Every structure is written in C-alpha cells, then in structure tokens.
C-alpha cells in the first residue's frame, strides 16, 4: 500500500487511450484488406500467365502437329496423283485425306489455298462417280437412303466454310466458275446433291449445312464480296452468268423448306443488306429472265430488313422554349447519317425499284405490303439524311416573305436519289399498287364510333401513302406525276378521307394536335391535302356542287377539321412556353392551300353559312387579337398572313384601315396644307391632266394630301377650296375615265367585268406607264378610303393579291372557252386525238390577224391526247389568265403597291378585295345610314321632310336604294364597316323652296340637295326620276 500524494495512482477518465486503440484497429483492418486484395491480384496474374503460356504452348504444339499432318498429306497426295481420277476420288481413299486436310487447313496459309483447290477438284470428281459407294455424298445416307449419324456432316460443314473465303478469288477452271462455287452448290442445293436418297432427305442435309453457314459462316457476306469482284470487272455474258450463280447461291436458303424460320429470317435480312445493296445489280447483271424465274418465287424473303436498319431519329416537333429561353425550332442541327449506310440505302432503293413490275404481277397483298414497307422506309431515311447536318428552318416562324407571284415548288433535295425508282412511280404501276393495297371495304358513314387506325387502315396502304408523301415533298418533277396519278386515276382522295374521318388517332390529332400514330397521321393528312388541292384546281363549280368527290356536308367537315389543325400550328407564341404542338412545315402549307381553295370557292358560291370559317379563340377575344396586331405579336401576324379567313372580315377591314392610318402618320409632312401637292385639272381632260400631273410624283407625295382645282370649259378656275371633297370628285371622275373599255386599256368580260387588254400596246405606246398610273389611282382611292364603283374581274383582282389563276377562273374570262375545256376534259379517251385534232397551240386575234402561240416549247408538234389533255387545259387557262396580261398586271401592281403594301392585302381574297374597293353588295342598312347622316340648310332629324324622305327610301327596292346612294356619293355600295366610315359623312341639305325642282347632289361632299316636297308621292317621283337619269350634278 502506498501513502502520500506523490505516490497516488492517477486515473484518466478522458478515454484517449481507448480512442487510440480504436484508430489503430481501423488502420489495421484496412491494411489487412489491402494485403488480401494484393494477394488475390498476384494470384490472378499468375493464373493468367499460366493460361497464356498454356495457350501458346498448345498453339505451338498444334501448329507443329498440323505441319506434320500437312507434310504427310502432301506425300499421300503425290502417291494419289499416280492413280486414275475415278480411283483417286473414291470415298474410301479420298475421304480420309479430306479429314486430314481439314484438320491442318488454315485460310491464311498460302500453301493451304493451293491444297484447297486440289481438294475441291477431288470433291467434284468424286461427286461425279456413278458408283454410289465411291461417291462423295454417299456417306451422308444409309443404304435405305436415310440420314445416318456420322462425321460426314461435320466434315461437309467444315469444307463449305473453307470454300466461302475462296469465292472472291475469281474463276479457277475453264468453265469460268470458281471451284468453291461449284462445291457449295453441291453441298447446299438439293438439286445438285449427288446420291440416291429421297429429295426430302437431301433437303434436310442441305438445310443442316446451310444453317451453320448462315449462323456461323457469314454466307451472305462472302457472296457479297464475290459479287463485288465481278461487278467491277468487264461486263460480259460470262460475268453475268457468274454473278447470277452467286446471287442464286445467296437465295438457296429461301427454297429449302427444312430450314428453321429464324434461320431463314436471318438469311433474308442478310441477303437484302448484302446482295441488294450492290449498285446496279439489277438489271445490269441480272436479266429479266433471271428475275422472273429465280427472284420472283423468293420475293417474300428478299423484302425483309433488320428492325434497326435505316432508322433515324426526328428532332422534337414541339414548339416552345428551353430553359435558356431559346426556341426549340431554331438552330436545330440534324444528326449526321453514316455515309456507308446512305450508299447502301441508295443502291437498295435502285435495285428494288427495278422489280416493281414483278411485285405487282404477283397480285399478292402480303408481298406488296412488304415491298412498300421497305421502299417507304428507305425513302424516309434518305430524305432525312439529305437534311442531316443542316439547320432546320421554318419559314412560318421567320420574317422572310415568299414571292406568291410564283407557283410554289419544293426543293429537289433527292433529285439523284429518286431518279432510279421512277419506274415504280409510273402511273400504271402506281395505280396497280393503290388498287392492290385498298381496304376490302370502306365506310362513308362517319359516326361518333371511331376505330383504331390499325383496324381500318391496311398496312400496305400506309406504306404506299408514306412513300408517295415522301416523294411529293422532295422532288417537284416526280411529284407532279405521282400526285396527278393518285388524284385523277385512283380514288385516293375519297379513300383517305373515309379512313381518316373514322379513325380515333385522327380525331385525337384534330382535338389536341398530337396523336399516338403521329408520323402516319402526318403522312396521310399531308398526301390527302395535296391530292385534294390538286383535284380542286381541276373541278369547276358545277362538278364541285355535284358532290365530286364529297358532299357539301363532307366538305364542311373537312374544312372544320383542317382549320382546327392548322390554326393550332399558327397560333403559337414565339416568345413564351406553349403546350407541345406538332409542327410540320409542309403539312401546314398543304392544309393552308386546301383551306384557301375551299374558302375562295365559298366566297363565289356560299355553301358554309354563319361563322363556319372563323375560330372561337379569336371571336371570344377579338379585342385581345386586335391588340396583338397593333403591337406586332408574331402569332397574330402569322394568322393574318396565312389563314386570315379565321378572322371575321369586318375585323380585318378595321385592321387594314388601322395599318393605313399608321402609315399616314409617317407622311404627316406631306399631308398638311404646306406640304400638299396642288394640281389643276381641266374637266374635259381629267385623265390626261391627272396623268401628266401625278405620274412623275414620288410615292411619298402621292400618299400625302393632294389639292385639286378644276378648270371649267371656259378655261377659268372654279371657285371653292378643296377640303377633301374636290379631290374625291377628281378620283371618282378619273376612275370613270380610266376604268372603262372605251379607253382601250381594259376589256370587258361577258359580265361587263374589267381586266387589262392584252393588246394594250397597240392602243398606246406608253400603255405600261398608264397602267402604273391608274394603279396608283386605285391605290390612292383605297388609301384615302374612297369607294369607287369599278367592276374588276375576279382573275384580275387575283393579280393585285399576287396570286396565280387556274382553270376554275377561266369561267370569269370566257365562259364559252371554259365550256369547251369542260367538254374536252370529259371527252371519250379513245376519241380525243382523232375527233378533236388539237395541239398545244392557241390562236390569238390581233386586230384581224390570227397569230398562233405555242403553249409549251414545241407545242405545234405536241398533240392533245387523253393522257395530256389536263395539261393542255391548264396551259390554255394559264395563257389566257396569267401570261397574256402579265406585263399589264405587273405595271398596274407596281403603281398600286406604291400606296398599298402587299402585306396589307394578304388577309383578303378576291371577293373581299372587291368589297374593299367598291363597298358591300346588297341593299342599304337604312338604320345605320340614318344614324350617320348629317343635316343642313334647315333640316334636322325630326323635320317632317326628313321623316318623309326616310319613308320614301324604305319603299325603294334594293336596286333603287343603291342608285340613290350612287347619285349622292358616286358609289352604289355602302362602306364595308357601315356609314360611319363614309368620308365626308352623308348629308342632306335643304335646297330652294321650289318643290318642282329635281333633287341634286354634290358627290364630292356626299351631299344630297332636297327640296321641301309636300307629299310622299311627289318626293318619291322626283327622287326616282333624278336617280334613274343621273341628273343634276352641281358644285356646292
């Protein structure tokens, strides 16, 4: 025991030693783990080294043994060469040597290649031995002809594998066939297989060898390499024969019914990718006789592609913004395709195109479906690869303006690619394919009970549609043939709509813009729209309303569905996130084209009443839409540019007038009194003085204020100050002089509608300058909101809108010619050429001199037939409606657009432009007119004479009301937006108290001067007399 503080034991309660011991334990465990891993690694390295050493020792030993066997074999072969061939090739002598050879044979050994040739010669010699016991193929079977279990099959498979690499080395005998090729046919073709066994037994043996070569020996690859060697050599009959044999070798799996299905499929896919991707294989090396005898029976097998071959990934079609706010449609670079795969696809497409006739001749739906599947897949892949590596663009979401004076044409991005398959797209073949792929039954009863796409749409027709859609999108020249064939030679338009309207997926697409079968729906809708648009161009109004090919109710359904689809595509904001909407520029364009055609026809002959063309989104939010237009919101401008008919016409007129007012603000300096243009006009020479005074003015001056002083017949300036009314009178009088057939610049149709005179150059040397001037006059009238009563022809108004005229518009120019063209269109096909004897020439009367004009180059030598009569009809229409008046229209349009910008008029069609120029047709809205009428000279709203006046006007017929309006304002039609738009406002002024005096008017002020007539009958009589005689202009 210890005593005292110095010897007292110290106890540490902090636990430091325990923590140190714990840390030492963790470090020790980690160290032990590392040592254990190192030991395992060292053992693995040692085992690997031993395995490598053993492998190389075995290889070296095996090589030595093989060399020993090789030397021994060579000695035996020297002795064997002393024997006659029939003895040397006898199985008991020859087969042990074959086993020995296959043991030491190595394809990379040069000496072994020579030895292989000797062996193959013996094999062929043995197969020719008449004695079954000495025949090479005899050991494969028992004496009863059944397959026996022996190593013969194993040796045969090894021999066949040894033959494959030798195929590409060229012919080795005088017959021009390689020995390996002959031996392979001996082993793989039951017809060449020697022996007395049954055909089925031979087929079973060949199937076993084929299976091993297909799965393990890469049969089709070696055949491919051999064909390539011969296709690069001189093309002669010998070469074609060898290539034919090689192709037949690759097709042997398709004629052996004992091969397992999965092996046949592998062989089919390999054959298509290896042999049919050799450029110019068909028909350069494989003649028609070979195709019909060998390839036709195998059509069901050569039309298979691996599932992942020629696939591509589309960029996302959804519109919106990424996290950085960048548009997902902009700067989108498509991925690059493998160049080798592209070349394969081109060659395969070329070869398959050459057998289109054989496929149709089979009249088998499954073969036609498989064929169309491969073709459509290749075309889609090549179309994608032509765009790969490029920036995707979408003109709807850019600010670029397209030239609508030209007919729309797609870029020929696959000109060379599509060339080789033109034979497939010939009208006869295309018609046959379409007929073969048609569904057995189609329903025209469109009920609410829709079906899935796959139940009503045959897969063959899907692939055919996709093929045609790809072609028409990528090659303008082939496109015309394809679309014309589908439109006029098949029920394509009718069938596609019947199937679409009854499918669930199309209904989804209409409702939401997306669908579970998006790619197929896009192709079908796009092709339907292109074909229907093509058909509408050729249908006159009588045919259209006779339900060709749709009833009016069906047309309404079509237009509603297409309107919903395309509106969603355009109504996308460009600067904020949106719900995903599928965007396909070509689909959008084709739908837009169809809707414009249907809307224009509806404008001529209304068949859709009410608000059919307008959209609820804009109708419900009209103020918001107007605001978006004013602030230049892109989606609102897209709507007005591409599908303006979804916006009510009155709203578009207000937008037009707003745009004009905004433009006027830019030229304010020209619109004040100091900046005004002052001109003097002789009343007897309004047109001449107007031309000399204004023709050389700048557009800015014309847009400004123009003050007119009239000079009377005595040469004195008329009293008064032009506050706008005199200029209106000047424009009205000038329009009467300029827009008339008497001057010679214009002609009249049978309906007394005006269009440029094609022979105006014979009327005036400066005719184009005059057209430009009167174009300015019309533009100025619209710019100042002055209505003029000028009945322009519909096809000429199209030129002001930069549109192309078509066959349908011919009826407005020359109804008789249109009737003749309709007769030609429906004439018996067999008698067109003999009975009519027409060529592509049109006779033009130049003041008594008949001049023949060729409609196409060399037209005098091209006769109209049943096949080209539509082309002739369209050429006639194009010449009369576009070519003849092209120079005059361009000059007129140049002057017109000095004041009215083309983009302002994009939102109107011809009928609406006519209303914009002339005002609204029909009777007057007397309630609106009375609300916006001013009174002067003692008259007021409650005056008895005024009350009597309105009662008299109410009693007038609509025609008499229009005459009254023309009498007072110079225009028989009220403004589109009502009388509140009439400037100056309509006014009634009390004339003298002489009630025997007729009413007079000052049209420059829209002023009616009315005496205080005492009775209803007197006022009506005086008014009718005045308006029917157009008497009494008097300057106020």
């Amino acid at each position: 025991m210890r005593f005292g503080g110095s010897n007292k034991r110290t106890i540490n309660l902090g636990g430091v030693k325990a923590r140190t011991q714990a840390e030492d334990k963790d470090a020790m465990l980690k160290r032990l783990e590392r040592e254990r891993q190192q030991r395992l690694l060292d053992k693995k390295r040692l085992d690997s080294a031993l395995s490598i050493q053993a492998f190389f020792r075995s290889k070296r030993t095996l090589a030595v043994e093989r060399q020993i066997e090789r030397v021994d074999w060579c000695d035996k072969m020297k002795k064997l060469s002393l024997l006659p061939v029939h003895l040397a090739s006898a199985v008991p002598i020859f087969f042990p040597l074959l086993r020995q050879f296959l043991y030491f044979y190595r394809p990379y050994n040069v000496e072994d290649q020579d030895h292989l040739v000797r062996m193959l010669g013996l094999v062929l010699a043995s197969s020719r031995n008449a004695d079954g016991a000495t025949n090479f193929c005899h050991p494969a079977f028992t004496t009863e002809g059944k397959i026996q279990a022996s190593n013969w099959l194993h040796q045969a498979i090894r021999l066949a594998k040894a033959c494959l690499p030798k195929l590409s080395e060229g012919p080795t005998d005088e017959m021009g066939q390689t020995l390996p090729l002959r031996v392979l046919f001996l082993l793989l073709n039951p017809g060449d297989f020697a022996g007395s066994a049954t055909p089925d037994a031979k087929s079973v043996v060949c199937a076993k060898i084929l299976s091993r070569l297909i799965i393990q020996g890469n049969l089709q690859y070696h055949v491919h390499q051999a064909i390539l060697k011969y296709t690069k050599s001189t093309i002669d009959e010998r070469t074609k024969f060898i290539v034919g044999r090689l192709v037949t070798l690759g097709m042997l799996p398709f004629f052996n019914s004992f091969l397992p299905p999965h092996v046949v499929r592998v062989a089919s896919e390999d054959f298509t990718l290896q042999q049919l991707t050799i450029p110019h294989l068909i028909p350069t090396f494989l003649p028609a006789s070979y195709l019909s005898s060998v390839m036709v029976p195998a059509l069901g097998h050569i039309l298979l592609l691996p599932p992942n071959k020629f696939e591509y990934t589309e960029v996302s079609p959804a519109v919106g913004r990424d996290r950085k706010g960048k548009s997902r449609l902009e700067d989108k670079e498509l991925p690059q395709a493998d160049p080798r795969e592209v070349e394969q696809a081109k060659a395969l497409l070329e070869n398959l195109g050459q057998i289109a006739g054989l496929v149709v001749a089979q009249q088998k739906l499954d073969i036609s479906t498989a064929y169309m599947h491969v073709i459509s897949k290749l075309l889609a892949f090549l179309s994608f690869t032509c765009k790969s590596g490029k920036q995707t663009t979408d003109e709807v979401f850019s600010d670029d303006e397209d030239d609508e004076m030209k007919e729309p044409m797609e870029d020929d991005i696959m000109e060379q690619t599509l060339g080789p398959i033109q034979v497939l797209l010939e009208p006869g073949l295309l018609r046959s394919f379409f007929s073969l792929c048609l569904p057995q039954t189609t329903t025209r009863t469109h009920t609410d009970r829709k079906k899935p796409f796959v139940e009503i749409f045959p897969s063959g027709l899907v692939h055919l549609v996709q093929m045609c859609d790809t072609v028409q999108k990528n090659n303008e020249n082939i496109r015309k043939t394809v679309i014309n064939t589908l439109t006029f030679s098949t029920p394509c338009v009718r069938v596609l709509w019947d199937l679409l309207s009854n499918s669930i997926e199309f209904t989804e697409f209409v409702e939401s813009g997306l669908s579970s079968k998006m790619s197929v729906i896009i192709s079908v809708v796009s092709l339907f729209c292109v074909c229907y648009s093509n058909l509408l161009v050729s249908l006159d109004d009588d045919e259209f309303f006779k339900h060709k090919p749709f009833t009016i109710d069906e047309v309404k359904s079509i237009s509603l569905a297409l309107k919903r689809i395309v509106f969603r595509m355009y109504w996308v904001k460009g600067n904020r996130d949106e719900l995903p909407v599928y965007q396909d520029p070509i689909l959008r364009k084709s739908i837009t084209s169809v809707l414009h055609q249907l809307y224009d026809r509806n404008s001529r002959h209304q068949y859709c009443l009410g608000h059919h063309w307008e959209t609820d989104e804009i109708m419900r939010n009209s103020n918001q839409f107007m605001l978006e237009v004013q602030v230049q919101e892109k989606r609102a401008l897209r709507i007005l540019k591409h599908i303006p008919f979804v916006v009510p016409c009155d709203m578009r007129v207000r937008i037009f007038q707003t745009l004009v007012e905004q433009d006027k603000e830019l030229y304010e300096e020209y619109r004040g009194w100091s900046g005004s243009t002052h001109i003097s006009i002789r009343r007897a020479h309004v047109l001449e003085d107007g031309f000399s005074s204004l023709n050389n003015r700048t557009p800015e001056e014309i847009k400004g204020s123009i003050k007119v002083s009239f000079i009377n017949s005595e040469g004195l300036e008329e009293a008064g100050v032009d506050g706008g009314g005199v200029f209106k009178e000047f424009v009205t009088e000038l329009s009467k002089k300029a827009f008339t057939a008497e001057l010679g610049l214009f002609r009249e149709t049978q309906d007394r509608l005006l269009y440029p005179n094609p022979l105006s150059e014979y009327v005036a040397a400066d005719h184009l300058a005059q057209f430009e001037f009167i174009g300015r006059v019309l533009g100025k009238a619209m710019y100042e909101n002055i209505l003029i009563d000028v009945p322009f022809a519909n096809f000429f108004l199209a030129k002001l809108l930069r549109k192309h005229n078509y066959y349908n518009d011919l009826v407005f120019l020359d109804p008789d010619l249109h009737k003749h063209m309709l007769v030609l269109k429906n004439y018996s096909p067999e008698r067109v050429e003999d009975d009519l004897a027409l060529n592509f020439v049109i006779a033009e009367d130049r003041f008594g001199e008949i001049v023949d004009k060729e409609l196409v180059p060399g037209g005098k030598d091209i006769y109209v037939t049943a096949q080209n009569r539509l082309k002739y009809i369209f050429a006639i229409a194009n010449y009369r409606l576009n070519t003849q008046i092209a120079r005059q229209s361009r000059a007129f349009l140049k002057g017109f657009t000095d004041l009215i910008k083309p983009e302002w008029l994009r939102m109107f069609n011809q009928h609406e432009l006519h209303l914009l120029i002339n005002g609204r047709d029909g009777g007057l809205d007397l309630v609106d007119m009375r609300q916006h009428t001013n009174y002067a000279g003692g008259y007021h709203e409650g005056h008895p004479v005024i009350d009597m006046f309105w009662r008299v006007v109410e009693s007038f017929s609509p025609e008499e009301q229009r005459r009254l309006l023309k009498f007072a304002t110079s225009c028989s039609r009220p403004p589109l937006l009502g009388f509140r738009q009439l400037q100056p406002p309509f006014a009634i002024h009390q004339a003298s108290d002489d009630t025997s005096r007729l009413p007079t008017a000052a049209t420059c002020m829209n002023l009616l001067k009315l005496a205080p007539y005492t009775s209803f009958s007197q006022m009506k009589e005086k008014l009718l007399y005045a308006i029917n005689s157009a008497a009494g202009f008097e300057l106020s």
Side-chain angles (χ1 to χ4, degrees):
M1 181 178 291
R2 294 180 180 180
F3 299 95
S6 59
N7 295 324
K8 189 176 181 180
R9 182 179 178 183
T10 302
I11 300 175
N12 187 351
L13 300 178
V16 175
K17 184 175 181 180
R19 287 199 303 272
T20 302
Q21 289 176 348
E23 290 174 359
D24 292 344
K25 182 178 179 181
D26 291 340
M28 180 184 68
L29 291 175
K30 290 179 181 179
R31 177 176 55 79
L32 292 175
E33 178 63 22
R34 285 196 300 271
E35 291 175 354
R36 188 177 70 84
Q37 293 293 340
Q38 185 62 40
R39 288 194 300 272
L40 290 175
L41 182 61
D42 292 341
K43 184 178 183 303
K44 187 175 181 180
R45 287 173 176 170
L46 179 61
D47 293 342
S48 299
L50 293 175
S51 298
I52 294 172
Q53 292 171 8
F55 174 78
F56 277 100
R57 281 197 302 269
S58 64
K59 281 288 184 181
R60 184 173 57 191
T61 302
L62 192 57
V64 171
E65 291 179 357
R66 284 179 176 148
Q67 183 59 28
I68 294 171
E69 294 295 328
R70 184 178 287 112
V71 172
D72 181 61
W73 183 86
C74 290
D75 292 339
K76 292 178 180 178
M77 289 299 291
K78 288 178 182 178
K79 297 176 182 178
L80 193 66
S81 62
L82 301 176
L83 297 176
V85 175
H86 70 282
L87 294 178
S89 60
V91 171
I93 299 174
F94 158 70
F95 198 72
L97 290 175
L98 175 62
R99 293 179 58 189
Q100 188 178 17
F101 167 77
L102 292 175
Y103 173 72
F104 69 76
Y105 171 76
R106 284 296 173 266
Y108 50 80
N109 189 304
V110 178
E111 293 180 359
D112 286 355
Q113 295 300 313
D114 297 333
H115 300 332
L116 176 62
V117 173
R118 296 181 64 186
M119 275 320 314
L120 295 179
L122 287 174
V123 170
L124 290 176
S126 177
S127 66
R128 291 193 291 267
N129 288 340
D131 183 7
T134 62
N135 191 292
F136 169 70
C137 298
H138 176 72
F141 306 98
T142 63
T143 55
E144 292 81 12
K146 297 181 180 180
I147 303 173
Q148 63 178 359
S150 69
N151 66 352
W152 182 93
L153 185 61
H154 176 67
Q155 303 303 330
I157 292 172
R158 293 185 63 188
L159 178 62
K161 287 183 178 180
C163 289
L164 291 178
K166 191 70 176 175
L167 274 179
S168 59
E169 294 185 6
T172 57
D173 64 351
E174 295 179 357
M175 293 295 293
Q177 284 184 276
T178 62
L179 286 173
L181 182 59
R182 298 174 65 185
V183 171
L184 285 170
F185 267 97
L186 172 68
L187 297 174
L188 304 179
N189 186 20
D192 294 331
F193 201 92
S196 58
T198 63
D200 284 352
K202 293 179 180 180
S203 297
V204 171
V205 173
C206 292
K208 291 180 180 293
I209 303 174
L210 269 173
S211 294
R212 296 292 291 273
L213 293 187
I214 293 169
I215 302 300
Q216 299 176 357
N218 214 347
L219 170 65
Q220 302 293 357
Y221 169 77
H222 291 291
V223 173
H224 172 84
Q225 294 300 317
I227 294 176
L228 281 182
K229 180 176 179 62
Y230 286 102
T231 56
K232 294 177 181 178
S233 63
T234 304
I235 302 176
D236 53 20
E237 293 304 318
R238 169 179 164 273
T239 303
K240 293 180 179 179
F241 177 76
I242 296 176
V243 171
R245 294 290 287 174
L246 288 168
V247 173
T248 304
L249 176 64
M251 297 178 69
L252 287 178
F254 311 146
F255 302 106
N256 195 317
S257 60
F258 291 94
L259 275 174
H262 72 280
V263 176
V264 176
R265 181 168 185 86
V266 172
S268 300
E269 295 172 354
D270 288 348
F271 179 86
T272 303
L273 289 181
Q274 296 290 349
Q275 282 31 289
L276 293 184
T277 56
I278 297 174
H280 316 302
L281 180 66
I282 305 173
T284 305
F285 296 95
L286 300 180
S289 58
Y290 176 88
L291 297 177
S292 58
S293 61
V294 179
M295 193 163 284
V296 167
L299 281 176
H301 298 288
I302 66 175
L303 299 174
L304 293 177
L305 288 176
N308 298 324
K309 193 65 176 177
F310 304 122
E311 295 287 349
Y312 60 94
T313 304
E314 289 274 17
V315 296
S316 173
V319 173
R321 297 274 158 172
D322 58 20
R323 293 182 179 180
K324 296 181 180 179
K326 192 173 184 179
S327 171
R328 294 198 295 266
L329 276 179
E330 299 169 357
D331 302 327
K332 190 71 85 166
E333 185 172 308
L334 299 178
Q336 292 279 6
D338 185 353
R340 292 173 299 178
E341 193 171 13
V342 172
E343 293 304 315
Q344 276 187 323
K346 289 181 179 179
L348 180 56
L349 189 63
E350 175 190 6
N351 288 321
L352 290 180
Q354 299 298 324
I355 64 171
L358 297 175
V359 174
V360 169
Q362 297 303 297
Q363 290 293 301
K364 294 181 178 179
L365 181 59
D366 56 341
I367 292 179
S368 296
T369 299
Y371 181 78
M372 282 299 159
H373 172 64
V374 175
I375 294 292
S376 64
K377 186 173 184 178
L378 290 173
L379 285 174
F381 172 75
L382 289 172
S383 175
F384 169 77
T385 57
C386 287
K387 304 169 188 174
S388 63
K390 300 178 182 179
Q391 298 290 333
T392 58
T393 58
D394 190 342
E395 75 279 0
V396 172
F397 296 94
S398 68
D399 296 326
D400 296 336
E401 296 290 341
D402 50 347
D403 186 4
E404 294 186 8
M405 290 292 283
K406 300 179 181 178
E407 291 187 76
M409 293 178 65
E410 301 296 339
D411 294 332
D412 293 344
I413 63 173
M414 294 203 301
E415 187 74 38
Q416 297 178 351
T417 301
L418 292 178
I421 66 161
Q422 289 199 47
V423 62
L424 165 63
L425 302 172
E426 287 298 319
L429 280 178
L430 201 55
R431 282 195 301 269
S432 299
F433 271 117
F434 192 87
S435 300
L436 191 60
C437 296
L438 277 179
Q440 297 299 318
T441 57
T442 57
T443 175
R444 294 191 181 185
T445 304
H446 310 295
T447 64
D448 294 335
R449 231 175 129 219
K450 310 293 183 181
K451 295 181 180 179
F453 201 81
V454 293
E455 291 185 14
I456 60 175
F457 219 118
S459 57
L461 188 58
V462 171
H463 301 317
L464 177 61
V465 166
Q466 289 177 322
M467 179 196 74
C468 294
D469 184 49
T470 303
V471 169
Q472 68 92 10
K473 287 178 179 177
N474 293 290
N475 187 292
E476 181 65 21
N477 295 326
I478 304 179
R479 173 186 184 272
K480 293 179 180 178
T481 300
V482 171
I483 297 305
N484 285 337
T485 301
L486 293 177
T487 303
F488 302 113
S489 300
T490 72
C492 172
V493 175
R494 175 80 255 179
V495 169
L496 293 185
W497 177 249
D498 287 338
L499 295 174
L500 280 172
S501 57
N502 285 287
S503 70
I504 295 175
E505 290 80 0
F506 178 69
T507 304
E508 293 174 351
F509 186 50
V510 172
E511 296 294 333
S512 65
L514 297 172
S515 172
S516 56
K517 294 281 186 181
M518 182 58 73
S519 62
V520 178
I521 289 291
I522 292 299
S523 294
V524 177
V525 175
S526 179
L527 189 64
F528 165 76
C529 289
V530 171
C531 291
Y532 190 33
S533 176
N534 197 40
L535 181 62
L536 287 172
V537 169
S538 67
L539 285 179
D540 62 20
D541 290 337
D542 288 339
E543 292 174 310
F544 179 81
F545 286 102
K546 287 179 181 176
H547 303 167
K548 291 185 178 181
F550 300 112
T551 66
I552 295 302
D553 287 340
E554 287 175 322
V555 172
K556 293 178 181 179
S557 299
I558 291 171
S559 58
L560 282 175
L562 296 182
K563 182 186 70 174
R564 296 188 67 176
I565 294 171
V566 80
F567 176 78
R568 189 178 292 106
M569 292 180 175
Y570 287 118
W571 193 242
V572 177
K573 287 193 175 181
N575 57 353
R576 65 186 69 177
D577 288 325
E578 291 280 322
L579 294 174
V581 175
Y582 192 91
Q583 292 291 349
D584 183 286
I586 298 178
L587 172 67
R588 193 170 55 230
K589 185 175 182 178
S590 62
I591 295 178
T592 302
S593 176
V594 169
L595 287 175
H596 271 286
Q597 289 172 287
L598 294 175
Y599 180 70
D600 289 345
R601 200 178 293 262
N602 184 72
S603 297
R604 296 198 301 267
H605 304 285
Q606 193 171 26
Y607 57 87
C608 294
L609 303 177
H611 303 289
H612 176 87
W613 297 99
E614 299 157 8
T615 58
D616 293 339
E617 291 86 345
I618 292 178
M619 293 286 288
R620 289 195 304 264
N621 304 286
S622 58
N623 293 334
Q624 176 65 26
F625 183 81
M626 291 290 292
L627 179 62
E628 290 192 15
V629 172
Q630 293 175 7
V631 298
Q632 303 288 296
E633 180 70 45
K634 287 187 176 181
R635 71 172 184 176
L637 299 182
R638 286 197 296 267
I639 293 293
L640 292 177
K641 176 181 177 181
H642 296 284
I643 49 171
F645 44 79
V646 303
V647 181
C649 184
D650 289 351
M651 189 183 299
R652 281 180 277 142
V653 173
R654 290 202 302 272
I655 292 171
F656 170 78
Q657 294 177 347
T658 301
L659 293 173
V660 171
E661 291 303 319
Q662 291 175 350
D663 191 74
K664 287 180 180 179
E665 294 175 1
L666 301 176
Y667 301 99
E668 194 62 39
E669 58 179 302
Y670 294 99
R671 299 190 67 81
W673 182 263
S674 60
S676 299
T677 300
H678 296 264
I679 60 175
S680 296
I681 302 296
R682 293 173 295 172
R683 281 199 177 273
H685 301 86
V686 173
L687 180 60
E688 296 85 346
D689 290 355
F691 179 77
S692 60
S693 301
L694 297 176
N695 187 53
N696 295 322
R697 301 284 183 173
T698 65
E700 291 77 14
E701 290 177 304
I702 301 297
K703 286 185 175 182
S705 177
I706 299 176
K707 304 299 181 181
V708 178
S709 297
F710 276 113
I711 307 298
N712 62 23
S713 58
E714 298 180 358
L716 300 177
E717 183 176 327
E718 296 180 356
V721 176
D722 185 4
V726 179
F727 175 73
K728 175 180 179 291
E729 180 190 351
F730 163 68
V731 171
T732 302
E733 291 301 313
L734 194 152
S735 300
K736 292 178 181 178
K737 300 289 185 182
F739 300 115
T740 175
E742 297 175 0
L743 186 64
L745 293 179
F746 286 88
R747 281 184 178 178
E748 288 184 343
T749 66
Q750 291 185 11
D751 296 329
R752 303 186 64 81
L753 302 176
L754 295 176
Y755 69 97
N757 181 3
L759 303 179
S760 59
E761 60 185 305
Y762 297 99
V763 175
D766 61 345
H767 67 118
L768 295 182
Q770 293 191 38
F771 271 113
E772 183 177 346
F773 168 68
I774 58 180
R776 278 186 165 190
V777 172
L778 179 62
K780 180 64 174 176
M782 293 183 63
Y783 196 77
E784 300 296 344
N785 198 21
I786 298 174
L787 298 178
I788 58 175
D789 201 355
V790 180
F792 286 121
N794 189 75
F795 58 89
F796 177 59
L797 290 173
K799 292 303 172 185
L800 300 186
L801 298 174
R802 299 191 169 194
K803 290 183 177 181
H804 194 84
N805 289 306
Y806 295 95
Y807 161 70
N808 284 327
D809 303 297
L810 192 59
V811 68
F812 299 109
L813 172 64
D814 192 337
D816 292 334
L817 178 60
H818 179 265
K819 188 181 300 182
H820 294 329
M821 294 299 102
L822 186 59
V823 171
L824 172 60
K825 178 182 172 185
N826 297 316
Y827 208 78
S828 173
E830 297 80 11
R831 299 170 53 191
V832 169
E833 194 167 357
D834 295 335
D835 290 3
L836 303 180
L838 297 171
N839 56 5
F840 277 72
V841 171
I842 187 171
E844 189 176 273
D845 185 357
R846 295 184 178 178
F847 300 102
E849 180 186 358
I850 305 300
V851 179
D852 287 340
K853 298 284 293 185
E854 290 187 338
L855 298 172
V856 295
K860 63 182 179 181
D861 300 321
I862 303 175
Y863 289 93
V864 178
T865 65
Q867 289 71 36
N868 65 13
R869 57 180 164 183
L870 276 180
K871 183 178 180 181
Y872 173 78
I873 292 172
F874 291 159
I876 287 283
N878 180 61
Y879 181 79
R880 293 296 306 277
L881 296 169
N882 300 303
T883 306
Q884 267 195 323
I885 61 173
R887 292 185 302 151
Q888 294 85 344
S889 298
R890 280 195 295 267
F892 190 98
L893 187 61
K894 183 177 184 299
F896 183 71
T897 54
D898 281 346
L899 291 101
I900 304 298
K901 294 181 180 179
E903 54 267 29
W904 295 350
L905 297 181
R906 285 183 184 274
M907 56 184 128
F908 303 105
N909 64 10
Q910 296 94 300
H911 176 72
E912 293 162 344
L913 178 58
H914 170 78
L915 298 181
L916 205 60
I917 295 171
N918 295 269
R920 195 179 300 277
D921 293 326
L924 305 184
D925 184 349
L926 296 182
V927 175
D928 177 59
M929 185 178 181
R930 188 167 185 172
Q931 288 177 347
H932 297 92
T933 297
N934 295 335
Y935 304 97
Y939 286 149
H940 54 80
E941 173 67 26
H943 196 284
V945 174
I946 296 302
D947 182 66
M948 185 192 305
F949 169 79
W950 289 116
R951 287 189 288 111
V952 168
V953 175
E954 285 180 2
S955 69
F956 284 172
S957 67
E959 177 61 28
E960 291 169 339
Q961 291 177 358
R962 287 194 296 270
R963 288 181 182 177
L964 171 65
L965 185 63
K966 184 172 184 178
F967 177 78
T969 67
S970 75
C971 184
S972 62
R973 297 179 181 85
L976 280 178
L977 299 182
F979 283 92
R980 63 187 176 87
Q981 294 291 321
L982 187 64
Q983 294 297 328
F986 178 67
I988 302 176
H989 185 277
Q990 181 175 342
S992 66
D993 294 334
D994 185 4
T995 57
S996 64
R997 180 180 177 179
L998 288 172
T1000 58
T1003 55
C1004 62
M1005 299 298 294
N1006 296 330
L1007 181 68
L1008 175 66
K1009 297 180 180 181
L1010 191 67
Y1013 301 111
T1014 57
S1015 68
F1016 181 94
S1017 58
Q1018 183 189 29
M1019 180 180 288
K1020 184 172 183 179
E1021 178 185 356
K1022 296 290 185 181
L1023 278 173
L1024 288 176
Y1025 187 90
I1027 64 178
N1028 287 325
S1029 61
F1033 175 80
E1034 177 185 307
L1035 181 65
S1036 296

